[in-house]
Amino acid sequence: MKLAQLSNPTMLIEESSYFRGLLSGSFSENGLTSVSIHWNVESFASVLRFILGCPVEITSDNFIPLNEAALFFGVETLLLKCHVWLEEVTSQSQLLCLDSLIDLWKYGLERANDTILQLCTSYLARNFMWALSFNSYTDFPDKLLSSCIEHPDLTVDSEKHLADAVLVWLTANTTKSEGWSCNDLCHKIRTGLLPLWFAAGKRRCHFFTKFADKATGAIVSLAGHNCMSLTDIFTEGCSSHLRIRLTKYTQKVDVSGCPQITAGLCLLSVLPSCDADRILSKIIKKSSANHANSLRDGFRLSLALGQVLTFEAVQELDISNCPSLFLESAINCFCKSFPSLRTLRAAYFSNFKTRQLGQWVQKFPLLTNIDLTLDITPVIPAKISIIASSSVPSLEPSTASSDIYNCQSATSLSYTSRPLPSNVIKLTLEGRIDISDSDLLMISEVCHSLSYINLKGCTSVTDHGIAVMILRCKILQSVLACDTSFQNNSILALSSGVSSVTQQHERHSQLIAHKLLTLHIGGCRGVTGKLLCELISGADNLRSLCLREIQLVDDALYRFSGASLEMLDVSDTEVSIPALAHVICRNPDLKSLKIRGCRRLLRQESETNERKLCIPSFTPQDLYSELGKSCKLEEFEVGWGFSYFSLAALKPAIITLRSLVVGLGGSLGHDGLKLLPTICPMLETLILYFQVISDSAITEILRTLPHLQFLALCYCFGDISSLSFNFNMPNLRNLKLERVTPWMTNEELATLAENCTNLVKLSLIGCTLLDSEAQAIISSGWPGLTSLHLEECGEITANGVRSLLDCHALEDLILRHTGCGIPRNFIIYAASKLPMLRKISLDVCDASESDFDIPSFSDRYFLSTVKIARCKLQKNTLDLHNSAACRSPVHKETLVLVWNSEKLVRTLVKERL
């Protein structure tokens, strides 16, 4: 009990209804010089200070006690100040921590204060993605979570994020979520807008099974009608469940991996929700009256573009891997709704043509980052032996499938022969073999601000074309040109202006090479050592350097004087230990080092180079000790010369390691493998080739690496059994078991499926005991697989391929030497049943009719690459006296079919691709 001295009772009476009643009424305290107050001293003192005119700061820590005291003592002005403070902090992003906000909401619920409840709910709804970053997100009361999801300002990057949030919350609140909240929360998810791989994969989730089944069926059905017109959407009834969640606070829109997304659904999402059905109905009637355009959504889309809403806050759009989405119509729609767009990701669209880039940069004037990635073609000329090659021009039929979204309306911005310069800074064209020199010329004319270009795997561009682009893009800082024709002309372009040592010193800062931050030219084998040295000597600001498979790399590394390198890839080169030591000693910020396949690391360097650098003779152990002293690695790929002792020397450098690849020539041994979880507790990726493994070592790795998502055991030695995988591994997403589990039966595969429930990629090679029943185990155990590789796996396909096609989200499928029951029309049939399928690889040995039908342009669906390997029977040389000796299949050739926006390229190669 405390006494409050009333030196100024008049002010108390004026400001507080509590003291007004206490000191002005008939209470016994009236007239006394002191009264007894039962209240928290700190909060009551704050109330008194406020009444007496002293400044009082309101924070998330004192809001509740201060508001409670103001309410009890009837200080209206303080209550108003608390209300204003709460309005201000909830009107801005991320000014409150999540725990404080939850406490405020609970307080509002206890006091039945609708204002506090509304402000907190609105804040959380607008900042839902921010809230998900906190571990305390799972402490959301179910009513608060439900209110947020129902709030009109709910802002999420994608429906997947919302579904994941609900499932994480339900998992953490199992005891609370057995009743209404589980079904209620799941029903709030717009399952028809989920990525197919996500929805299919959740069919094994306890809380989401029936919803995942429903969502998968709906998605596959929608994707099966990829020309779904506005009429179809409208006649199905209420369309709200197909509207992408967009609010005025939305900054990122992500619909990647959704084969059901069409231009019609995009239009539906940007029309006013209250008038969408009326607008669609009006458009349908008007377009139906125009017989020439009655079946064309392009015409209907053009009618609606003037009525779409604008979302000024949207800065990033990801429409990658949406095979039913016609790019041109989508862009016409989004350019009206997202005028502030800065980042556009549109990977895996083979129907994109470079001329469209000029249109895009005019329609999105603020666009700075464009990603148009495709799968890298397996036909890299420098890596394969080509037997024959031909191409067939793409003659797309003028059907609804190609013409229905061909929207060229008056509302579309016209494309001129010389488009206006853009603000594009970063452009990714990886894997686009249809990009030519003329395309690079056009890009260099349009993208004057370009500082980052990714041409990896663009095999159709020439060294001259790359060089011209480099010379035209004056502020280029990053060039990624692995597996292209990048050669001496391009090097000269990067080194232009250097003619002597004196001039080099004077003009050094003006060179493109000096400004380079990233240079990736791995696999570009036409590079001359002398010119490469000249380039590297001038590129002293490099942060990322890839010289994979480049010859004479030592001299180039010796000439490198930079100290800012963060990534170095010299895999499969003749790099020496002193050359590596020269770079490592000067670059303490190195985070990624790839030296796998470097045989020379086993040998001592010549005295010439040692004297050249004044570095004493280095052994592999010395190299790893130096690396351990100076760097903190996050990614490490190694092989020859690496051992258990190297691991111990590296310990300080790899405590933060997230990815480790140990290849041929490296030997961790049993002790090294068991030591990995202790030395590298943050590992997310572990790939082992030709290592000696054991049950105890693999079990230790899987049990004690909680962040491990990718495990690959390839061609390893030793004895492992099903015991290695006989426990729960929910975080594992990618598993490769290649030539290490010959003992695996259907039962053991089922056990693996029970313990690794969340795999999206699976590769099994050499599991010869599996039979056709394994198909059902795979499809039911991993329904969300996007990649499946089965080779030398017994008789899995001996009776055909049925259950595997229940993995609806497959994008990459390899079936080789798995049983000769695959029907002739399988490629076309699989493409029609799997809406995401881009790549398929088969072997003629498995064909039930000795060959496979080749898809035409019209029936290839989303396929971009088909590989068909052929074998020849070779007599077993160990049994020369038996004329009927067993003949085994030996690889002969591979037919590779690659489709792009212009043509089909057919290539016959010697390699088994």
Side-chain angles (χ1 to χ4, degrees), residues 165-348:
V166 169
L167 295 178
V168 168
W169 187 92
L170 288 172
T171 302
N173 294 273
T174 304
T175 57
K176 305 176 186 177
S177 55
E178 296 297 336
W180 68 270
S181 56
C182 177
N183 289 333
D184 185 66
L185 289 174
C186 287
H187 273 301
K188 298 180 189 301
I189 300 170
R190 299 176 184 178
T191 51
L193 292 176
L194 293 173
L196 180 53
W197 67 267
F198 179 86
K202 295 304 179 183
R203 286 159 61 187
R204 296 194 62 187
C205 177
H206 171 61
F207 298 107
F208 205 54
T209 302
K210 61 181 180 181
F211 298 99
D213 283 335
K214 179 181 176 182
T216 303
I219 293 169
V220 172
S221 177
L222 284 171
H225 300 84
N226 58 4
C227 300
M228 186 178 184
S229 67
L230 299 179
T231 308
D232 297 326
I233 297 174
F234 181 69
T235 54
E236 285 190 353
C238 180
S239 57
S240 60
H241 67 290
L242 292 175
R243 292 176 62 90
I244 301 168
R245 294 181 192 268
L246 292 170
T247 73
K248 63 180 179 180
Y249 306 101
T250 300
Q251 296 183 356
K252 180 179 179 180
V253 179
D254 182 0
V255 293
S256 59
C258 294
Q260 71 276 26
I261 294 295
T262 63
L265 289 182
C266 294
L267 173 61
L268 175 68
S269 301
V270 296
L271 288 173
S273 57
C274 58
D275 293 331
D277 289 347
R278 180 185 60 81
I279 294 173
L280 288 176
S281 177
K282 182 178 179 181
I283 292 171
I284 290 169
K285 290 178 181 178
K286 187 171 182 179
S287 60
S288 297
N290 188 323
H291 300 292
N293 294 292
S294 61
L295 296 178
R296 296 181 59 181
D297 269 11
F299 176 74
R300 296 174 183 176
L301 183 60
S302 68
L303 294 174
L305 288 180
Q307 304 179 68
V308 299
L309 297 174
T310 299
F311 300 90
E312 293 280 356
V314 174
Q315 297 186 20
E316 183 173 346
L317 172 63
D318 192 343
I319 52 176
S320 301
N321 220 4
C322 295
S324 300
L325 185 62
F326 191 73
L327 265 181
E328 192 165 356
S329 289
I331 296 301
N332 285 338
C333 180
F334 287 132
C335 71
K336 296 291 184 179
S337 293
F338 306 152
S340 302
L341 194 69
R342 286 170 169 77
T343 298
L344 174 61
R345 307 189 191 282
Y348 307 114

Side-chain angles (χ1 to χ4, degrees), residues 12-20 47 51 67-79:
L12 291 178
I13 292 170
E14 290 176 352
E15 295 292 331
S16 168
S17 61
Y18 174 87
F19 287 109
R20 191 179 308 125
V47 171
I51 290 175
N67 191 83
E68 188 75 1
L71 187 64
F72 180 82
F73 292 105
V75 185
E76 295 294 335
T77 50
L78 182 55
L79 282 172

Side-chain angles (χ1 to χ4, degrees), residues 339-358:
S340 302
L341 194 69
R342 286 170 169 77
T343 298
L344 174 61
R345 307 189 191 282
Y348 307 114
F349 279 97
S350 60
N351 62 351
F352 167 80
K353 292 180 172 58
T354 312
R355 65 171 180 80
Q356 294 174 316
L357 187 64

Side-chain angles (χ1 to χ4, degrees), residues 129 144 173 232 279 290 294 311 320 346 443 473 486 532 636 718 769 782 802 830:
M129 294 300 299
L144 174 58
N173 294 273
D232 297 326
I279 294 173
N290 188 323
S294 61
F311 300 90
S320 301
I443 290 169
C473 298
F486 182 103
L532 180 62
F636 191 35
L769 301 180
W782 299 293
R802 299 183 305 275

Side-chain angles (χ1 to χ4, degrees), residues 15 37 332 481 628 634 702 813:
E15 295 292 331
I37 302 297
N332 285 338
E634 295 179 2
L702 292 173
L813 177 62

Side-chain angles (χ1 to χ4, degrees), residues 401-611:
S401 61
S402 62
D403 193 47
I404 194 166
Y405 296 126
N406 186 20
C407 176
Q408 298 292 342
S409 65
T411 57
S412 301
L413 295 177
S414 60
Y415 172 72
T416 60
S417 57
R418 296 187 63 82
L420 296 175
S422 73
N423 293 310
V424 175
I425 295 173
K426 184 175 182 180
L427 179 60
T428 300
L429 300 170
E430 180 175 315
R432 294 203 164 269
I433 61 174
D434 51 345
I435 296 294
S436 64
D437 286 357
S438 60
D439 294 322
L440 293 187
L441 181 62
M442 185 277 290
I443 290 169
S444 63
E445 290 178 349
V446 174
C447 304
H448 292 302
S449 302
L450 200 64
S451 66
Y452 175 104
I453 181 68
N454 183 348
L455 299 172
K456 181 180 178 181
C458 295
T459 55
S460 297
V461 296
T462 68
D463 183 33
H464 175 74
I466 298 173
V468 170
M469 182 180 195
I470 290 172
L471 290 172
R472 286 174 173 267
C473 298
K474 301 295 185 182
I475 62 174
L476 207 57
Q477 294 181 325
S478 296
V479 177
L480 290 79
C482 293
D483 299 316
T484 67
S485 297
F486 182 103
Q487 294 176 10
N488 294 334
N489 286 328
S490 301
I491 291 179
L492 289 172
L494 289 173
S495 308
S496 58
V498 179
S499 58
S500 69
V501 175
T502 304
Q503 288 179 342
Q504 179 178 353
H505 177 73
E506 294 173 351
R507 303 172 61 183
H508 184 66
S509 62
Q510 302 301 317
L511 301 178
I512 297 177
H514 175 68
K515 301 172 184 177
L516 276 180
L517 301 179
T518 303
L519 178 64
H520 290 190
I521 54 174
C524 302
R525 300 183 182 181
V527 172
T528 301
K530 182 178 179 181
L531 290 178
L532 180 62
C533 288
E534 185 176 315
L535 171 62
I536 297 300
S537 66
D540 51 3
N541 285 315
L542 276 174
R543 295 178 186 172
S544 184
L545 175 62
C546 175
L547 299 175
R548 166 178 52 86
E549 302 171 16
I550 299 294
Q551 301 303 312
L552 304 174
V553 72
D554 261 18
D555 291 338
L557 293 184
Y558 284 134
R559 296 285 297 274
F560 181 62
S561 59
S564 305
L565 205 62
E566 297 177 3
M567 196 287 284
L568 175 64
D569 183 356
V570 287
S571 305
D572 299 308
T573 66
E574 290 295 312
V575 69
S576 68
I577 293 175
L580 273 178
H582 169 70
V583 175
I584 291 170
C585 292
R586 299 175 61 92
N587 291 271
D589 294 331
L590 198 66
K591 294 181 176 63
S592 176
L593 179 62
K594 300 180 182 181
I595 52 175
R596 182 180 161 207
C598 299
R599 290 175 175 267
R600 197 175 171 193
L601 295 181
L602 285 174
R603 305 195 299 267
Q604 296 294 314
E605 183 51 63
S606 65
E607 290 185 4
T608 304
N609 284 335
E610 289 170 9
R611 292 171 181 172

